[in-house]
């Protein structure tokens, strides 16, 4: 159903956990920049099929995170 309304992503962030491996070689800033590029569709990512995406709210908070073994994560 298409109602012609804008789309908002109400909360997103990128987890950087150097102990987890993965893309740790990019560093925290690189991982967060890559996530934003994917989200905004700059690399053909999420926004590409959502042309009405008008707002993204970035979660900016430090908190203990179970997904990181209880370590404090700077989202």
């Amino acid at each position: 159903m298409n109602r012609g309304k804008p789309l908002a992503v109400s909360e997103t962030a990128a987890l950087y956990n150097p102990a987890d491996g993965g893309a740790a070689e990019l560093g925290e800033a690189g991982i967060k920049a890559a996530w934003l590029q994917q989200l905004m569709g700059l690399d053909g990512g999420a926004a590409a099929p959502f042309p009405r995406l008008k707002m993204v709210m970035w979660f900016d908070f430090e908190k203990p995170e179970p997904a990181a073994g209880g370590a404090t994560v700077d989202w």
Side-chain angles (χ1 to χ4, degrees), residues 41-68:
L42 300 175
D43 66 346
F50 300 104
R52 293 185 136 331
L53 180 62
K54 301 298 181 193
M55 183 189 85
V56 175
M57 186 177 299
W58 186 263
F59 184 75
D60 185 17
F61 197 72
E62 286 186 26
K63 69 179 192 113
E65 191 61 55

Side-chain angles (χ1 to χ4, degrees), residues 15-54:
L15 172 62
Y16 173 68
N17 181 8
D20 193 31
E25 71 277 358
L26 294 175
E28 183 176 9
I31 287 174
K32 291 179 179 185
W35 175 248
L36 283 173
Q37 286 179 331
Q38 292 170 13
L39 181 67
M40 300 311 294
L42 300 175
D43 66 346
F50 300 104
R52 293 185 136 331
L53 180 62
K54 301 298 181 193

